[in-house]
Amino acid sequence: MTSMESLIGLVNRIQQACTVLGDYGGDADSNALSSLWEALPSVAVVGGQSSGKSSVLESIVGRDFLPRGSGIVTRRPLVLQLHKVDGKAKEYAEFLHMPGQKITDYAFVRQEIQNETDRVTGRTKQISPVPIHLSIYSPHVVNLTLIDLPGLTKVAVEGQPQTIVEDIENMVRSYVEKPNCIILAISPANQDIATSDAIKLSKEVDPSGERTFGVLTKLDLMDKGTNALDVLEGRSYRLQHPWVGVVNRSQADINKNVDMIVARRKESEYFETSPDYGHLANKMGSVYLAKLLSQNLESVIRARIPSITSLINKTIEELESEMNQIGRPIAVDAGAQLYTILELCRAFDKIFKEHLDGGRAGGDKIYNVFDNQLPAALRKLPFDRHLSLQNVKKVVSEADGYQPHLIAPELGYRRLIEGALSYFRGPAEASVDAVHFVLKELVRKAIAETKELRRFPTLQAELAAATSEALERFREESKKTAIRLVDMEASYLTVEFFRRLPQEMEKAGNPANPATPNEDRYGEGHYRRIGSNVSSYIGMVSDTLRNTIPKAVVFCQVREAKLSLLNHFYTLIGKKEAKQLSQLLDEDPALMERRQQCAKRLELYKAARDEIDSVSWAR
């Protein structure tokens, strides 16, 4: 294969890959493929209805494979990629929507084009911009990408929308306006070239004519005594590239299924024996047209090599970055799988600790529990009701029983204090629960933010379950410790507090009237002092618990979460067998598919870059 054939074949393969993979991935991925596609030259076949477009394409391919009929037959773009193969290789066709199915029956190809058109447009005369992709592998073709477009028309017929004329022109323009598109303008020789729809449109999008190749069809159908030499020799309408005349099969030949090879030979004989065109015979015909297009395509590709290479390199960098994000395939060895799982767990644990320590948001919510929620809860405790005059009197009186207290109602004090301290259980437990919920949220965030884990939904679920179980254990231990702190305050009251009470009561009495304390002993002032004393003691305990409860919670929950959140999970993982480890690393099917597609693209673009480099150096 020559360097020209290799280069064009390479572009064909890249275009095909862009087509195959173009619908996969996000917007950025699709945009990259679209940019690469537009950077690669192709040939768009443009002409009016019944201008002979289909016959020209079939002549270039050497096969009868396109639907025929009156009116608008081509109702969807047909992206036709021709791949030249070794002479001994078997010829076949393949549709993009039927991957892997090699078709050797071209009557089936013709019918499938019609069926695929109807699937999108219905059995109507409407059009659709959604292309059909067909690849033909044959030793009898040149490497080319040809795009057959719906024929330009001037009026809408029955069954077509009134906008059909504009819709077809806009569709055709979307292809031929691209600077890398070579325009194959088909015009019938038996009509005035001034009325050619194809030439009119190509002149608008390619005023200089650099990208336009003019093709005259139906030369054999011109009136006797007339010819198309003014057009073919460039006197009637000049293009930068020479006009090419072709003689397609007649309707009778088509009806008789005349072989394309025979049709090509008859076409060659027509020009060689024609008194009008004999001097141009070596530059006429579908075989020459295909070679001319291929040669021009090569020159366009060579001029675009730097930009194509740059775009391919950029795409390779993006794909390698994507592969790194997706992750490489997992090894099948149990030891390697265990190592992978532990690495994933460590990645998660690192992010979780960053949330706790302030590297990421969330850890501050734990401080908010201690600095705001706990003090607020302590302030809301119903001590005013518990130490009301009525309740103090009731508790003290009940504690005295049938015999009133002598000096200080010690038992009453104890019962009042113990009753008040029981209220601290609520804030202590609430603080534990609040921190537990913060830790659970941080675990959820850490799992979501661990990119490496996104590949493995099963492992994510197992990890979430294991951490939830661990946090529950930490919560229970923390709750026990916090409650113990409250119970310790209730189980042993500060001695100094009681020792000060008699002195305070004497100071509160009147020394000049010794009877006053005894008289006041069972009055309202006496119970108010008891309530005040208990309130002071409770305030002291509240200050203590405000400092010790956070310490207990941090030690039993936060610290344990940092040090041993996954310890039990590691133990369980170490006991699992190879099959169980594989199940944990069972990836999301969509992600596996994305990696495969990404790897395919990466392999393609690297091979394309190498081939382009080799062809470039061979110039």
Side-chain angles (χ1 to χ4, degrees):
M1 185 180 289
T2 66
S3 62
M4 178 189 75
E5 291 172 331
S6 176
L7 190 59
I8 297 176
L10 169 64
V11 169
N12 257 15
R13 291 195 298 277
I14 297 175
Q15 286 176 324
Q16 187 178 39
C18 288
T19 299
V20 172
L21 304 172
D23 293 334
Y24 187 86
D27 293 338
D29 195 29
S30 298
N31 290 339
L33 291 168
S34 176
S35 299
L36 184 56
W37 171 270
E38 293 184 9
L40 302 173
S42 57
V43 180
V45 185
V46 183
Q49 287 185 18
S50 303
S51 62
K53 291 191 298 85
S54 297
S55 296
V56 171
L57 281 173
E58 290 182 332
S59 296
I60 291 175
V61 175
R63 288 288 181 178
D64 185 359
F65 68 99
L66 292 173
R68 293 181 178 275
S70 60
I72 180 169
V73 178
T74 304
R75 291 182 284 120
R76 288 176 60 185
L78 175 67
V79 179
L80 177 63
Q81 292 182 309
L82 306 180
H83 303 265
K84 185 175 180 61
V85 297
D86 185 82
K88 297 179 181 180
K90 189 175 182 180
E91 180 179 342
Y92 67 91
E94 184 176 11
F95 285 99
L96 175 63
H97 62 273
M98 301 170 65
Q101 186 171 342
K102 297 181 179 181
I103 306 167
T104 56
D105 181 1
Y106 283 88
F108 179 86
V109 172
R110 183 188 314 112
Q111 186 60 48
E112 182 58 28
I113 292 174
Q114 183 64 53
N115 293 342
E116 182 62 17
T117 299
D118 292 342
R119 286 187 192 107
V120 174
T121 63
R123 295 183 177 275
T124 65
K125 295 183 180 180
Q126 296 184 6
I127 64 169
S128 169
V130 180
I132 300 172
H133 295 273
L134 173 65
S135 295
I136 293 179
Y137 300 81
S138 170
H140 309 299
V141 299
V142 294
N143 287 308
L144 274 178
T145 294
L146 298 162
I147 305 173
D148 186 22
L149 297 166
L152 298 165
T153 185
K154 292 182 172 60
V155 293
V157 298
E158 186 67 28
Q160 293 179 335
Q162 292 301 311
T163 59
I164 189 72
V165 176
E166 183 181 354
D167 292 343
I168 292 177
E169 182 174 334
N170 290 338
M171 183 194 302
V172 174
R173 280 182 183 273
S174 69
Y175 283 89
V176 300
E177 283 178 340
K178 297 172 183 175
N180 289 329
C181 178
I182 297 171
I183 305 170
L184 193 61
I186 310 294
S187 301
N190 56 356
Q191 295 180 11
D192 190 341
I193 195 67
T195 65
S196 170
D197 296 318
I199 292 300
K200 175 178 178 293
L201 182 60
S202 64
K203 187 175 181 180
E204 293 176 6
V205 299
D206 180 34
S208 64
E210 294 179 357
R211 300 187 286 117
T212 302
F213 285 81
V215 178
L216 274 185
T217 62
K218 304 184 180 183
L219 290 169
D220 54 331
L221 300 181
M222 296 184 70
D223 294 337
K224 289 184 179 181
T226 63
N227 59 53
L229 285 176
D230 284 348
V231 177
L232 292 175
E233 293 179 346
R235 292 190 296 274
S236 178
Y237 186 82
R238 179 175 294 278
L239 295 170
Q240 290 200 20
H241 303 287
W243 283 82
V244 178
V246 297
V247 175
N248 300 320
R249 292 181 301 167
S250 65
Q251 188 60 48
D253 291 338
I254 294 172
N255 295 338
K256 294 177 182 178
N257 292 322
V258 173
D259 185 80
M260 278 294 179
I261 304 301
V262 175
R264 284 179 176 179
R265 186 165 59 248
K266 289 177 64 176
E267 179 187 46
S268 178
E269 291 173 356
Y270 172 85
F271 285 114
E272 289 174 354
T273 59
S274 170
D276 294 321
Y277 310 119
H279 64 293
L280 298 174
N282 63 331
K283 294 184 178 180
M284 295 288 119
S286 56
V287 174
Y288 173 77
L289 175 62
K291 291 181 179 178
L292 182 65
L293 289 173
S294 186
Q295 289 170 355
N296 183 264
L297 197 58
E298 182 215 9
S299 64
V300 173
I301 291 171
R302 289 195 181 278
R304 300 286 190 274
I305 279 179
S307 60
I308 292 173
T309 302
S310 175
L311 191 54
I312 287 177
N313 286 333
K314 180 183 177 183
T315 306
I316 287 175
E317 290 178 3
E318 293 173 351
L319 288 173
E320 286 180 337
S321 175
E322 182 180 356
M323 282 293 287
N324 290 332
Q325 290 181 357
I326 295 175
R328 303 294 171 173
I330 299 300
V332 296
D333 176 68
Q337 290 178 340
L338 178 60
Y339 176 80
T340 299
I341 292 173
L342 295 178
E343 283 294 299
L344 293 170
C345 290
R346 279 191 281 269
F348 153 76
D349 196 45
K350 179 176 179 292
I351 293 176
F352 175 69
K353 288 176 180 176
E354 288 176 357
H355 277 292
L356 284 178
D357 295 332
R360 297 172 185 252
D364 56 307
K365 292 182 180 179
I366 295 176
Y367 176 73
N368 182 64
V369 171
F370 303 144
D371 194 51
N372 292 310
Q373 295 182 32
L374 176 59
L378 293 175
R379 287 193 297 269
K380 292 180 181 178
L381 293 177
F383 293 133
D384 289 344
R385 186 177 72 246
H386 181 70
L387 297 177
S388 66
L389 179 63
Q390 182 179 0
N391 193 59
V392 170
K393 185 176 181 179
K394 176 177 176 293
V395 171
V396 171
S397 298
E398 289 176 352
D400 283 346
Y402 72 91
Q403 186 174 355
H405 58 268
L406 299 177
I407 300 175
E410 180 175 332
L411 191 56
Y413 270 108
R414 287 185 178 277
R415 289 187 179 181
L416 284 170
I417 292 172
E418 289 172 358
L421 291 179
S422 65
Y423 289 116
F424 286 112
R425 285 173 169 264
E429 292 182 344
S431 298
V432 171
D433 289 337
V435 171
H436 174 76
F437 291 131
V438 172
L439 291 174
K440 285 187 66 174
E441 177 64 16
L442 296 185
V443 165
R444 187 195 64 77
K445 285 185 176 181
I447 290 177
E449 293 172 9
T450 306
K451 295 179 181 178
E452 298 90 337
L453 274 176
R454 295 175 186 172
R455 300 168 56 183
F456 311 109
T458 302
L459 180 58
Q460 285 186 51
E462 290 285 335
L463 196 58
T467 54
S468 179
E469 183 180 342
L471 291 178
E472 283 293 341
R473 292 198 307 272
F474 302 155
R475 173 162 72 168
E476 290 305 313
E477 187 59 35
S478 181
K479 192 168 289 187
K480 289 178 183 177
T481 304
I483 296 302
R484 282 196 188 103
L485 290 176
V486 176
D487 291 344
M488 283 189 290
E489 292 292 342
S491 65
Y492 186 80
L493 305 184
T494 305
V495 178
E496 286 75 9
F497 173 79
F498 287 99
R499 290 175 177 171
R500 289 198 304 267
L501 287 181
Q503 299 174 3
E504 292 177 357
M505 290 178 66
E506 290 177 2
K507 292 178 181 178
N510 186 358
N513 187 2
T516 303
N518 293 329
E519 292 176 359
D520 188 49
R521 182 172 298 174
Y522 302 104
E524 290 185 359
H526 174 65
Y527 292 112
R528 285 196 181 93
R529 281 195 298 273
I530 293 174
S532 177
N533 291 333
V534 172
S535 178
S536 298
Y537 185 82
I538 294 303
M540 178 185 69
V541 173
S542 179
D543 292 340
T544 301
L545 292 177
R546 179 175 175 178
N547 294 322
T548 56
I549 288 176
K551 294 178 186 294
V553 171
V554 169
F555 184 82
C556 296
Q557 285 178 273
V558 181
R559 178 177 173 275
E560 285 300 308
K562 287 180 64 175
L563 297 179
S564 59
L565 181 63
L566 297 177
N567 283 3
H568 185 61
F569 185 61
Y570 290 149
T571 302
L572 296 177
I573 290 295
K575 296 178 181 179
K576 289 185 180 293
E577 298 179 356
K579 183 179 180 181
Q580 294 172 311
L581 294 176
S582 298
Q583 291 172 347
L584 284 179
L585 295 176
D586 184 17
E587 290 186 274
D588 182 351
L591 196 61
M592 293 174 66
E593 175 68 15
R594 184 163 184 80
R595 181 192 295 109
Q596 291 175 359
Q597 296 289 349
C598 187
K600 286 179 183 178
R601 290 197 299 274
L602 192 56
E603 181 182 359
L604 166 80
Y605 294 136
K606 285 183 177 180
R609 181 178 60 186
D610 294 341
E611 288 192 54
I612 288 177
D613 289 343
S614 64
V615 173
S616 300
W617 283 103
R619 285 188 293 177

